[in-house]
Amino acid sequence: MSNDSRPKVRFVEVSAEEEGQRIDNYLVKTLKGVPKSRIYKMVRKGEVRVNKGRIKAEYKIKAGDFIRIPPVQTAQRDQEVPVKLNVVQSLEDAIIYEDERIIVLNKPSGMAVHGGSGMSFGVIEALRALRPTAPFLELVHRLDRDTSGCLMIAKRRSTLRFIHKQLQEKKISKRYWALVTGHWPAKQKFVDAPLRKFQVKSGERLVRVSDDGKPCLTSFKVVERFKELTLVSAEPITGRTHQIRVHAQSVGCSLVGDDKYGDDALNQQFKRDGLCERLFLHAYSLEFKVRPEDKNRIKVEAPLPDDLQHTVNQLRKQT
């Protein structure tokens, strides 16, 4: 191997779109596959410099900054996504809204939003592989692997920052359809219960209602009632992990197909009867602005997927 193939020191100028990030987060995205521990060590030892000076990991980069990035071997080649796979190609067809700043796609159930947890790639890696010339593509928010529906990807850093600000200020409306067990209480318009993450002996992470958890609020509305099930529309006011699933469980109405917080016997029965093979949770609606000067919010809707629509149709026949 010639010396030319070895990693070299790089000097990168920060663009206006990149401004505002912490330097450690910027390096994690820039140096694909490099462990975070290595990145923090580089910053701490002064190998990474901004405008020739040492900085700390929490330093926020500014437009025009010159960043010195030391020689480091990345793992980009090992992370290539096979763009000919049907599941990757289908993402283009799953896009339900796109402009020069944002993409909203109808994420299929079973696909993670990013690689990890046993998956070599997720939605964001696949989308970047499909659009190799796109200068910027980042997830705005997340959906659980088994949840389908509206997922936002920013095409500009300024858009990402602005939508994150709206999320923090609770100015974005995200609505989900969920099929729950039992009869949802008519008076139960909101569930206001703090949530906390736990790790069980197996290493699995679960979320539970706990007095010392983080504040959490979800709005629920009955859409349709069946014999022993209820279709509800849920709007999380806060954005906690597994929020809708745990809040529904806390009032005795767990989600159909939920393998973490649901009714195992019922889930197995649904699978045997061909009624529902997976978690019945679908992000059907998003309302947001892409720029501060916009007067009106954009509203995007994702129709119920065929498999979940089949479940509803079969339940209607039984009612």
Side-chain angles (χ1 to χ4, degrees):
M1 182 181 291
S2 68
N3 291 341
D4 290 341
S5 64
R6 295 174 186 169
K8 296 180 175 64
V9 171
R10 286 191 289 152
F11 291 90
V12 180
E13 184 177 2
V14 176
S15 69
E17 281 293 313
E18 293 168 326
E19 186 175 71
Q21 299 178 77
R22 283 174 48 133
I23 186 71
D24 53 350
N25 292 333
Y26 171 83
L27 292 169
V28 167
K29 292 169 187 170
T30 304
L31 303 175
K32 304 283 188 186
V34 177
K36 285 186 179 181
S37 58
R38 173 76 177 102
I39 287 172
Y40 283 114
K41 186 177 180 181
M42 290 190 304
V43 174
R44 192 170 61 249
K45 292 180 68 177
E47 295 177 60
V48 174
R49 298 202 171 215
V50 177
N51 303 327
K52 299 184 179 180
R54 296 173 74 115
I55 38 79
K56 293 185 177 180
E58 58 268 25
Y59 173 80
K60 290 189 177 180
I61 59 177
K62 304 178 185 69
D65 278 351
F66 276 95
I67 302 174
R68 178 194 187 274
I69 300 176
V72 61
Q73 190 69 50
T74 63
Q76 285 177 306
R77 289 186 179 180
D78 297 330
Q79 296 179 347
E80 289 180 358
V81 178
V83 294
K84 291 185 178 180
L85 280 181
N86 289 338
V87 68
V88 176
Q89 288 289 332
S90 67
L91 284 182
E92 284 286 357
D93 297 329
I95 293 172
I96 50 179
Y97 177 84
E98 182 173 7
D99 59 26
E100 71 277 8
R101 293 173 177 269
I102 198 86
I103 293 172
V104 182
L105 57 83
N106 187 359
K107 184 189 85 68
S109 174
M111 190 170 191
V113 294
H114 60 83
S117 302
M119 296 195 73
S120 59
F121 67 90
V123 169
I124 190 64
E125 291 88 358
L127 203 55
R128 286 170 182 161
L130 285 170
R131 299 186 174 190
T133 60
F136 184 86
L137 289 173
E138 286 289 347
L139 289 166
V140 173
H141 61 113
R142 301 188 180 198
L143 289 178
D144 292 340
R145 178 174 171 175
D146 293 330
T147 304
S148 55
C150 295
L151 180 70
M152 284 190 284
I153 293 97
K155 296 166 73 173
R156 297 186 183 183
R157 184 164 298 284
S158 56
T159 304
L160 181 67
R161 288 200 300 266
F162 177 58
I163 296 181
H164 276 171
K165 185 170 183 284
Q166 291 177 81
L167 286 167
Q168 291 166 1
E169 296 172 353
K170 301 176 177 57
K171 291 181 178 178
I172 289 183
S173 173
K174 294 189 288 182
R175 294 186 177 92
Y176 296 72
W177 278 313
L179 183 65
V180 302
T181 58
H183 294 280
W184 186 270
K187 294 182 180 179
Q188 190 83 52
K189 307 292 185 185
F190 294 90
V191 176
D192 186 357
L195 298 181
R196 183 183 168 196
K197 291 181 182 178
F198 291 85
Q199 188 166 347
V200 294
K201 289 181 180 179
S202 65
E204 184 181 17
R205 293 183 181 275
L206 295 175
V207 178
R208 295 173 187 161
V209 172
S210 178
D211 290 339
D212 61 350
K214 294 182 178 180
C216 199
L217 179 65
T218 311
S219 167
F220 287 93
K221 181 181 178 181
V222 172
V223 177
E224 191 170 352
R225 293 189 184 276
F226 305 105
K227 278 185 179 179
E228 296 178 357
L229 301 160
T230 310
L231 182 65
V232 297
S233 172
E235 182 178 359
I237 311 303
T238 49
R240 309 294 181 203
T241 302
H242 299 168
Q243 176 172 326
I244 294 171
R245 297 160 68 178
V246 179
H247 270 180
Q249 178 205 39
S250 72
V251 296
C253 296
S254 58
L255 268 63
V256 168
D258 193 336
D259 60 0
K260 284 183 181 285
Y261 311 104
D263 183 327
D264 290 338
L266 179 71
N267 292 343
Q268 291 302 318
Q269 185 64 51
F270 265 61
K271 285 182 180 179
R272 284 195 296 270
D273 294 344
L275 278 175
C276 191
E277 297 284 334
R278 53 103 161 178
L279 177 70
F280 197 120
L281 184 61
H282 177 71
Y284 74 89
S285 174
L286 273 175
E287 290 185 51
F288 58 93
K289 289 183 179 181
V290 290
R291 298 178 302 177
E293 61 267 28
D294 291 344
K295 292 183 178 179
N296 300 315
R297 297 202 297 179
I298 294 168
K299 184 174 183 179
V300 181
E301 293 190 345
L304 202 61
D306 291 344
D307 59 339
L308 300 188
Q309 187 61 58
H310 169 76
T311 303
V312 172
N313 293 343
Q314 294 302 112
L315 291 173
R316 284 171 178 162
K317 291 178 182 178
Q318 296 174 11
T319 303

